[in-house]
Amino acid sequence: MELLDGKKVSNEIKEEIKAEVAKMKERGEKVPHLAAIIVGSDGASLTYVGSKVRSCERIGFESTLIQMPSTTSEQELLNKIKELNVDDDIDGFIVQLPLPEQIDTQKVIMAVDPDKDVDGFHPTNFGKMALDMSTFIPATPFGILELLERYKVDTKGKHTVVIGRSHIVGRPMSILMGRKGWPGNSTVTLTHSHTKNITQIISQADIVISALGVPKFLKAEMVKDDAVVIDVGITRVPDETKEKGYYITGDVDFENVSKKASFITPVPGGVGPMTIAMLLKNTLLARERHRSRN
């Protein structure tokens, strides 16, 4: 069994981007600028956005964090997005999800300029991805592809089972794993809460990508020997014995599944760090695109 070490690979990617940014500075060019909007004070979101800002500092990007109160109206948020859309200094920005209930998430995603949508959520970018055109790939699926590539995991002709059909991970992952090229060229089954015989389907998979958000859903008896297991789930499970009052676990019963898998991602330290690294990669791509147009 080989561990798909997202922490290690994400550090490598950050170092590569850092070297690229250093060259930009030497040439007297503008460095990439990533902005993040966060509405409210959700603990997990604040932690996540904080690590994005620290990563920007580490690699030489400029970053802007815009914090808005949880009482922010939908119109106020849309106005802020408009400001960022027309601000030439900002190359890419994200609106941290989830948003408070008074705000329509779909409206917010639609309001972001596709050219600055480094999360890859806008329908324009999603459509381009589905058509194999050059675009911003959503950061988590992009990170999974990068892990498969750097560990030379064979995907051609393999049966990939994706568990979960969210627009952020499951659905884009199913499209990307079936695309021409590598990683890709696999036969994909997308499963969800209404899938019959889900255990039987998973047991036939060469590659399992679980993005369900159900702690330890995937058990050893559900996967075949030498399967590649990608765990996207990340859940805080309350535990009074821990200092923080909780522990973090994924969708996979790691201890037992890892004994059967050929490759597996840990939680934490697998897909999570890759998501931030690929967001930075998308921001670098946005900067390069904007430069080539000006």
Side-chain angles (χ1 to χ4, degrees):
M1 186 276 290
E2 194 172 349
L3 206 62
L4 296 169
D5 189 340
K7 213 169 183 179
K8 176 175 156 284
V9 175
S10 72
N11 281 329
E12 287 168 9
I13 292 166
K14 285 175 190 171
E15 287 306 312
E16 288 161 14
I17 298 172
K18 190 177 177 178
E20 205 61 43
V21 172
K23 284 180 199 163
M24 287 174 146
K25 283 180 176 168
E26 276 171 26
R27 294 193 295 261
E29 291 171 13
K30 176 189 175 306
V31 299
H33 187 163
L34 173 68
I37 302 176
I38 184 164
V39 184
S41 53
D42 176 70
S45 293
L46 284 168
T47 304
Y48 191 47
V49 171
S51 64
K52 286 173 183 171
V53 171
R54 283 193 301 279
S55 294
C56 282
E57 284 167 8
R58 174 181 154 185
I59 62 172
F61 278 17
E62 285 183 29
S63 69
T64 300
L65 176 57
I66 299 154
Q67 286 186 278
M68 302 178 82
S70 55
T71 51
T72 299
S73 71
E74 183 175 277
Q75 195 52 53
E76 284 169 327
L77 178 56
L78 292 174
N79 290 344
K80 181 54 74 179
I81 289 168
K82 264 185 200 162
E83 274 177 41
L84 298 185
N85 282 342
V86 297
D87 185 342
D88 287 340
D89 192 45
I90 287 169
D91 296 296
F93 69 94
I94 61 150
V95 181
Q96 185 63 39
L97 304 178
L99 290 164
E101 56 189 26
Q102 73 271 20
I103 297 171
D104 181 342
T105 302
Q106 208 57 53
K107 258 191 199 171
V108 167
I109 289 169
M110 291 292 288
V112 176
D113 179 348
D115 269 349
K116 294 190 176 190
D117 167 41
V118 286
D119 257 338
F121 294 163
H122 193 282
T124 298
N125 289 326
F126 199 97
K128 283 181 171 179
M129 177 200 68
L131 293 168
D132 266 350
M133 295 165 74
S134 170
T135 188
F136 298 121
I137 297 173
T140 301
F142 196 7
I144 293 168
L145 293 180
E146 194 77 16
L147 271 180
L148 293 172
E149 195 174 317
R150 294 199 182 214
Y151 279 92
K152 299 181 171 53
V153 176
D154 186 18
T155 59
K156 187 181 174 183
K158 303 292 184 188
H159 182 197
T160 297
V161 171
V162 180
I163 309 169
R165 54 180 168 182
S166 76
H167 296 162
I168 294 172
V169 184
R171 201 165 301 181
M173 211 61 238
S174 68
I175 294 166
L176 292 162
M177 290 302 284
R179 68 182 180 167
K180 282 183 182 174
W182 177 70
N185 277 329
S186 70
T187 303
V188 183
T189 305
L190 179 62
T191 64
H192 45 78
S193 54
H194 294 277
T195 302
K196 290 177 178 169
N197 308 329
I198 191 165
T199 303
Q200 190 188 343
I201 292 166
I202 294 166
S203 70
Q204 297 163 4
D206 302 303
I207 301 166
V208 183
I209 300 169
S210 185
L212 201 59
V214 177
K216 298 185 181 172
F217 166 81
L218 196 72
K219 304 280 190 280
E221 57 270 21
M222 294 163 79
V223 298
K224 69 178 186 183
D225 288 343
D226 294 329
V228 176
V229 180
I230 309 284
D231 189 351
V232 187
I234 184 155
T235 308
R236 289 182 176 194
V237 179
D239 183 348
E240 292 309 316
T241 66
K242 303 282 182 220
E243 198 181 320
K244 289 179 176 173
Y246 65 87
Y247 67 91
I248 286 175
T249 189
D251 287 356
V252 178
D253 174 7
F254 183 86
E255 194 182 334
N256 296 306
V257 174
S258 60
K259 291 168 188 163
K260 288 178 83 173
S262 57
F263 292 92
I264 191 167
T265 59
V267 173
V271 174
M274 293 300 296
T275 300
I276 292 177
M278 301 325 275
L279 180 74
L280 300 172
K281 203 162 184 175
N282 273 343
T283 307
L284 180 65
L285 183 68
R287 176 71 227 123
E288 285 167 354
R289 278 193 196 167
H290 295 153
R291 190 184 69 235
S292 65
R293 275 191 210 140
N294 295 339

